[in-house]
Amino acid sequence: MIFARFRSNEIFHLGPFVVTLLILNTTVMLQKNISKISKVVIAVLSIPLMFFALEHYLLFLQEKPPVISSYQVEISNQIRQCKKNNQKLLVLDGDTFLYYLSDTLLETKYFYYLPWFEPTDKIRLAIKTKIESDSNQLIYLPPTNETDYRFFFADYIRQNYKQVCQNVWTIK
């Protein structure tokens, strides 16, 4: 389950959970000093969780959703059309497929931005510095509002960049 279609959200998040649950149950069941009643309770509690994970996994295998969505392809085509020679890209989102599909990279070690990066000043300020100092880049920024984790950047981008494609910005 971990390695099948690895980067799919269903499998990516369910796989480690199921493997951990399986290892824990096996370890507990092999212990001799744990009572049979405790083992039965643990097994009974684990069975619904395993069925929940198995149900989602089987549904995923039946539907076989593509790893790359048509929406990602559409966005990357827009980026490619808006991009000038040697222009770099910063994706202010977690969708790193856009770099690959648009054949564009950013020369920095922070090349995407996710909600759990927000409290990390080092990452947030490094990306802010890159946005403020690099005039040869495109920025992909999905729509944001005041409660969005990217709002820290959105206001600056709207003031100093112009929108060249849907959700794609370049310096004014």
Side-chain angles (χ1 to χ4, degrees):
M1 288 176 68
I2 290 176
F3 298 109
R5 304 290 295 264
F6 177 72
R7 199 43 205 145
S8 158
N9 279 337
E10 284 290 327
I11 304 305
F12 183 73
H13 293 100
L14 282 177
F17 166 74
V18 170
V19 170
T20 302
L21 192 61
L22 188 62
I23 290 170
L24 271 163
N25 278 336
T26 303
T27 305
V28 167
M29 296 304 165
L30 293 175
Q31 296 294 320
K32 293 181 180 179
N33 57 351
I34 296 179
S35 70
K36 287 183 180 181
I37 293 173
S38 297
K39 290 180 181 181
V40 169
V41 168
I42 290 170
V44 167
L45 291 175
S46 298
I47 288 172
L49 296 173
M50 292 295 277
F51 275 114
F52 170 78
L54 185 62
E55 175 188 358
H56 283 278
Y57 181 66
L58 292 174
L59 183 65
F60 175 82
L61 288 179
Q62 288 170 351
E63 291 178 1
K64 294 182 181 170
V67 175
I68 298 173
S69 71
S70 59
Y71 179 71
Q72 290 169 313
V73 172
E74 179 184 324
I75 292 170
S76 62
N77 285 339
Q78 287 180 13
I79 291 169
R80 249 188 270 120
Q81 290 173 357
C82 297
K83 181 177 79 168
K84 296 176 184 166
N85 292 341
N86 298 327
Q87 203 167 22
K88 298 172 269 177
L89 176 66
L90 172 61
V91 175
L92 288 179
D93 195 22
D95 198 351
T96 57
F97 264 119
L98 296 179
Y99 291 112
Y100 174 74
L101 294 172
S102 67
D103 194 29
T104 310
L105 286 178
L106 179 68
E107 295 172 1
T108 183
K109 64 182 179 179
Y110 304 114
F111 58 97
Y112 60 94
Y113 194 69
L114 295 169
W116 47 88
F117 293 168
E118 182 63 26
T120 309
D121 288 335
K122 179 180 177 184
I123 296 173
R124 188 167 30 107
L125 293 175
I127 292 175
K128 182 178 185 280
T129 302
K130 187 69 175 168
I131 289 171
E132 292 174 351
S133 66
D134 193 348
S135 61
N136 188 35
Q137 71 179 336
L138 290 174
I139 297 177
Y140 173 73
L141 176 68
T144 60
N145 59 35
E146 292 84 23
T147 60
D148 191 287
Y149 70 97
R150 296 164 291 210
F151 192 72
F152 178 79
F153 304 114
D155 196 37
Y156 180 86
I157 290 169
R158 286 189 193 105
Q159 290 175 12
N160 297 291
Y161 283 69
K162 64 182 176 183
Q163 192 168 6
V164 290
C165 293
Q166 183 179 357
N167 303 328
V168 180
W169 302 76
T170 190
I171 198 90
K172 288 182 180 177

